[in-house]
């Protein structure tokens, strides 16, 4: 099987899993939005944001370190997985203790405090599951990741429906997130047993190297949080729960969509890391170009499709109470495009081990965005939060591109990007007369318009399609 076909098939497995998982997650979110309404959903979104922020801080970039190390021929993957599981176990104990303290001092009502602590257990299962998933990504057996994703999301939907049937408050609803991630973790552990021999022996030499390499990644992630998540927290401090809910609805869609490039890059990154480590510059650039083209094909229609369809999407997912969220969704979709391309260069920074070089850029962007959040959000509410999200992501993209270009001289060819843009503009124009129809009709129309145009103008070549489908000998 060719590299294109193998990569495409494994990407397809994960994308099927992620697509079905995304649909299920959106269904669970739809249940919450319609059950809670803007004010109560605003409180739930505060809980979710705090757990996401602390989860990313406590992750310390270990997932990327494991994914990078497990791809290196010099390392034993059994030892890599064992050491990181042990390390993660002790970090989890510290994290849960810290979350208990944070819940006590957070300036919110009791329900939000309790929700923050309970939902924080979901991060524990996410981190353990991510370590197991690196094994499937290395061996390109990502169908197991997809299956765990789908069943875990199914558990989320079922538990959410059960909680709503019982007419519970936001505190028990926080447990639905924990249940979903616990089920995914349990399945990942079950599937990975045949590939990994676990040992409780601690390799202090390796742990020290992980710590020495983790802190630059961790600091970069911590700084990036200040522009990616602080907007919701600052909005909650200065504005009402209603406004947080109106902003949280489209932001939840953004968070769901940006998981797709992370899935794709988890497959590309082992290839770029190995190529760069072995000094294969042409191969590294080839992988980067394939990644850029694929991410462009995925992201550009999302932006242009949201222009005519945002109102219909909001009405379908959340109902009339959230109609003010529609223009915010259109703005945030600009961020989605930037974040898709940014995922390529952000992961490349890890592949070329340039994490330390990024710290000063992340620090500058974080401080700048934090200042702008405090200045503009109290005055312009969620409008400022949405546009500043776009600005922050653009600055990060430029910084990561600059660092990668300095070390590798990689500059993407823009042919597929331009063709994707042309196809997406034609798609959006063709969709406009049908914008008030149900999404179940307009989305298939959008896929048909966009896919057909891409094929006609050569954005997707016939040879690539045949290779992916296995029809080319």
């Amino acid at each position: 099987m060719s590299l294109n076909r193998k990569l495409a098939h494994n990407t397809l497995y994960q994308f099927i899993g992620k697509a079905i998982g995304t649909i299920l997650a959106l269904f669970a979110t739809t249940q919450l939005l319609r059950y809670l309404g803007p004010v109560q959903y605003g409180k739930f979104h505060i809980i979710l944001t705090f757990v996401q922020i602390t989860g990313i801080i406590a992750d310390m970039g270990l997932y990327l370190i494991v994914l990078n190390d497990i791809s290196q021929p010099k390392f034993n993957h059994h030892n890599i997985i064992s050491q990181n599981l042990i390390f993660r176990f002790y970090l989890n104990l510290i994290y849960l203790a810290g979350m208990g303290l944070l819940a006590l001092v957070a300036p919110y009502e009791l329900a939000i405090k309790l929700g923050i602590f309970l939902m924080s257990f979901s991060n524990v299962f996410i981190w353990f599951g991510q370590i197991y998933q690196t094994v499937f990504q290395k061996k390109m057996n990502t169908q197991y990741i997809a299956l765990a994703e789908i069943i875990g999301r199914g558990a989320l939907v079922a538990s959410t429906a059960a909680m709503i049937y019982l007419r519970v408050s936001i505190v028990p609803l926080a447990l639905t997130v924990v249940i979903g991630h616990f089920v995914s973790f349990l399945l990942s552990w079950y599937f990975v047993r045949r590939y990994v021999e676990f040992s409780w022996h601690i390799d202090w030499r390796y742990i020290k190297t992980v710590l020495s390499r983790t802190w630059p990644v961790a600091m970069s992630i911590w700084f990036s949080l200040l522009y990616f998540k602080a907007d919701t927290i600052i909005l909650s401090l200065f504005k009402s729960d209603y406004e947080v809910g109106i902003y949280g609805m489209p932001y939840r869609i953004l968070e769901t969509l940006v998981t797709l490039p992370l899935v794709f890059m988890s497959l590309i990154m082992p290839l770029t890391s190995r190529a760069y480590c072995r000094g294969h510059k042409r191969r590294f650039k080839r992988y980067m170009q394939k990644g850029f083209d694929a991410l462009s094909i995925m992201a550009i229609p999302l932006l242009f499709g949201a222009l005519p369809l945002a109102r219909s999407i909001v009405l379908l997912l959340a109902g009339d109470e959230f109609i003010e969220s529609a223009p915010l969704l259109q703005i945030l979709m600009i961020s989605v495009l930037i974040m898709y391309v940014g995922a390529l260069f952000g992961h490349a920074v890890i592949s070329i081990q340039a994490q330390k070089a990024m710290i000063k850029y992340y620090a500058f962007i974080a401080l700048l965005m934090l200042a702008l959040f405090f200045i503009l959000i109290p005055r312009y509410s969620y409008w400022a939060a949405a546009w500043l999200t776009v600005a922050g992501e653009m600055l990060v993209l430029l910084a990561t591109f600059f660092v990668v270009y300095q070390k590798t001289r990689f500059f993407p060819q823009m042919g597929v990007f331009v063709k994707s843009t042309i196809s997406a503009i034609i798609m959006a124009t063709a969709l406009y007369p049908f914008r008030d129809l149900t999404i179940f009709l307009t989305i298939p129309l959008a896929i048909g318009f966009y896919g057909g145009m891409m094929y006609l103008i050569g954005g997707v070549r016939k040879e690539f399609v045949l290779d992916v489908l296995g029809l080319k000998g």
Side-chain angles (χ1 to χ4, degrees):
M1 184 181 290
S2 71
L3 175 63
N4 264 354
R5 195 181 305 168
K6 194 171 185 180
L7 181 61
H9 285 179
N10 278 270
T11 302
L12 182 62
Y13 294 144
Q14 283 202 261
F15 267 70
I16 290 173
K18 185 59 68 175
I20 297 174
T22 296
I23 292 170
L24 291 172
L26 285 175
F27 184 66
T29 300
T30 297
Q31 294 180 83
L32 285 176
L33 290 167
R34 292 179 175 273
Y35 173 64
L36 295 175
V39 175
Q40 291 300 312
Y41 184 75
K43 296 176 182 179
F44 187 86
H45 191 66
I46 292 170
I47 295 171
L48 189 64
T49 301
F50 263 100
V51 171
Q52 289 173 332
I53 287 177
T54 56
I56 297 173
I57 290 174
D59 176 69
M60 296 182 66
L62 276 182
Y63 167 69
L64 295 176
I65 296 295
V66 178
L67 186 60
N68 184 72
D69 286 357
I70 204 172
S71 307
Q72 305 297 329
K74 63 181 179 180
F75 289 124
N76 181 306
H77 79 270
H78 300 288
N79 185 59
I80 296 297
I81 297 300
S82 296
Q83 297 309 310
N84 281 282
L85 284 172
I86 295 169
F87 190 33
R88 173 51 65 193
F89 174 78
Y90 290 109
L91 286 177
N92 285 345
L93 295 179
I94 298 170
Y95 168 73
L96 291 175
M99 289 304 294
L101 180 61
L102 176 63
L104 288 175
V105 302
Y108 299 104
E109 62 186 76
L110 180 61
I112 294 178
K113 291 172 179 281
L114 290 173
I116 289 172
F117 179 68
L118 290 175
M119 195 184 288
S120 65
F121 281 82
S122 64
N123 283 327
V124 172
F125 301 121
I126 290 173
W127 291 324
F128 281 134
Q130 283 179 337
I131 292 174
Y132 292 142
Q133 287 170 12
T134 60
V135 178
F136 302 130
Q137 288 156 353
K138 171 186 169 63
K139 295 183 175 296
M140 289 199 172
N141 285 325
T142 56
Q143 64 271 23
Y144 297 118
I145 298 176
L147 188 57
E149 168 88 10
I150 293 169
I151 297 176
R153 293 297 191 183
L156 170 67
V157 171
S159 58
T160 300
M163 294 292 186
I164 291 174
Y165 177 78
L166 296 172
R167 310 298 295 176
V168 302
S169 65
I170 60 171
V171 176
L173 283 170
L175 288 173
T176 61
V177 179
V178 180
I179 292 169
H181 288 300
F182 172 72
V183 171
S184 291
F185 152 74
L186 204 60
L187 287 168
S188 295
W189 167 79
Y190 177 78
F191 293 138
V192 85
R193 294 178 305 158
R194 72 182 72 176
Y195 299 112
V196 175
E197 297 174 7
F198 178 75
S199 169
W200 278 101
H201 171 72
I202 301 177
D203 184 347
W204 290 109
R205 181 180 299 177
Y206 174 73
I207 294 294
K208 288 177 181 178
T209 64
V210 169
L211 286 171
S212 67
R213 293 158 56 217
T214 294
W215 73 264
V217 179
M219 288 192 67
S220 298
I221 292 172
W222 295 344
F223 283 128
S224 69
L225 278 173
L226 291 178
Y227 72 84
F228 185 57
K229 289 292 185 182
D231 55 350
T232 295
I233 301 301
I234 295 170
L235 186 64
S236 73
L237 296 176
F238 288 97
K239 298 296 180 178
S240 65
D241 292 335
Y242 174 83
E243 288 172 90
V244 175
I246 291 297
Y247 182 63
M249 185 270 160
Y251 203 90
R252 189 68 182 132
I253 294 176
L254 177 148
E255 290 174 332
T256 302
L257 290 175
V258 297
T259 59
L260 297 177
L262 301 181
V263 170
F264 180 75
M265 287 310 303
S266 69
L267 293 168
I268 290 288
M269 186 177 169
L271 303 176
T272 55
S273 297
R274 193 177 302 121
Y276 188 82
C277 180
R278 294 176 175 177
H280 299 158
K281 294 182 180 180
R282 288 187 179 179
R283 188 176 298 172
F284 173 85
K285 291 181 179 180
R286 186 169 75 249
Y287 293 147
M288 288 289 289
Q289 185 64 52
K290 287 181 181 293
F292 181 81
D293 291 344
L295 291 168
S296 298
I297 291 170
M298 288 187 279
I300 292 172
L302 295 177
L303 168 59
F304 286 95
L307 297 179
L309 301 181
R311 180 183 173 87
S312 298
I313 293 170
V314 170
L315 288 174
L316 174 68
L317 295 181
D320 292 337
E321 289 185 283
F322 286 88
I323 197 62
E324 294 176 53
S325 299
L328 295 174
L329 177 60
Q330 293 172 326
I331 296 169
L332 289 174
M333 291 305 291
I334 303 173
S335 294
V336 170
L337 171 58
I338 298 170
M339 293 166 78
Y340 270 56
V341 178
L344 176 71
F345 293 99
H347 281 73
V349 167
I350 309 296
S351 293
I352 65 176
Q353 299 184 11
Q355 300 96 307
K356 293 181 182 179
M358 276 302 303
I359 291 176
K360 58 181 179 289
Y361 299 110
Y362 280 127
F364 171 76
I365 295 169
L367 295 175
L368 173 64
M369 298 310 298
L370 193 61
L372 291 174
F373 285 150
F374 275 109
I375 293 169
L376 298 177
I377 286 178
R379 182 177 298 180
Y380 299 109
S381 188
Y382 42 61
W383 298 108
W387 282 112
L388 287 174
T389 297
V390 175
E393 292 301 332
M394 178 57 73
L395 289 174
V396 171
L397 171 59
L398 293 174
T400 52
F401 168 75
F402 176 72
V403 169
V404 172
Y405 180 77
Q406 273 192 319
K407 291 198 72 173
T408 67
R409 297 298 169 186
F410 170 72
F411 193 97
Q413 297 176 15
M414 302 300 291
V416 172
F417 186 93
V418 171
K419 290 174 181 178
S420 296
T421 302
I422 294 170
S423 299
I425 291 172
I426 294 172
M427 173 199 74
T429 304
L431 282 177
Y432 189 79
F434 308 104
R435 64 191 182 279
D436 294 325
L437 295 179
T438 174
I439 289 296
F440 299 108
L441 289 176
T442 52
I443 287 183
L445 281 175
I447 294 171
F449 285 136
Y450 179 71
M453 283 304 305
M454 282 293 287
Y455 189 78
L456 286 174
I457 66 176
V460 177
R461 292 181 298 178
K462 179 180 178 181
E463 291 78 8
F464 176 78
V465 175
L466 292 176
D467 189 27
V468 169
L469 296 176
L471 300 175
K472 184 180 176 182

